[in-house]
Amino acid sequence: MNTLALPTSRLLTTEEAANYLNISKEFLKRMRYGQTTGVVGPVYVKFGSQPRYDRRDLDRWVDYYRTNEGQTQANQSH
């Protein structure tokens, strides 16, 4: 089993953020530059020319795109 170590820093590089989200860094970069349709990328900060992603923002981004697929009608009303 191949496991990735979770980063210990709060601010992640593009590669670390992509690994954290389990997506390719190329897709994350395209979202950053608005080159995807229908998906707005997560918030990032820039220090010089290097973008950094706050893990808390990545978690909020995932929560925003969470779907209700697989939930029963009763669970969706809560």
Side-chain angles (χ1 to χ4, degrees):
M1 184 165 136
N2 188 7
T3 59
L4 295 172
L6 290 177
T8 56
S9 174
R10 182 174 137 192
L11 294 178
L12 310 179
T13 65
T14 299
E15 185 171 6
E16 291 169 331
N19 286 336
Y20 185 77
L21 295 170
N22 199 28
I23 61 174
S24 74
K25 68 179 183 178
E26 289 76 22
F27 183 66
L28 186 56
K29 286 180 185 179
R30 286 196 314 268
M31 284 191 291
R32 188 167 63 232
Y33 296 115
Q35 297 174 343
T36 60
T37 56
V39 179
V40 176
V43 173
Y44 64 94
V45 296
K46 280 185 107 172
F47 295 109
S49 64
Q50 299 301 311
R52 295 290 186 260
Y53 295 87
D54 187 318
R55 284 188 296 169
R56 296 175 303 178
D57 290 330
L58 296 177
D59 290 337
R60 280 190 286 272
W61 182 78
V62 168
D63 289 342
Y64 177 79
Y65 281 103
R66 179 174 286 145
T67 67
N68 290 328
E69 293 177 17
Q71 293 185 3
T72 65
Q73 193 70 356
N75 288 343
Q76 290 179 11
S77 65
H78 291 111

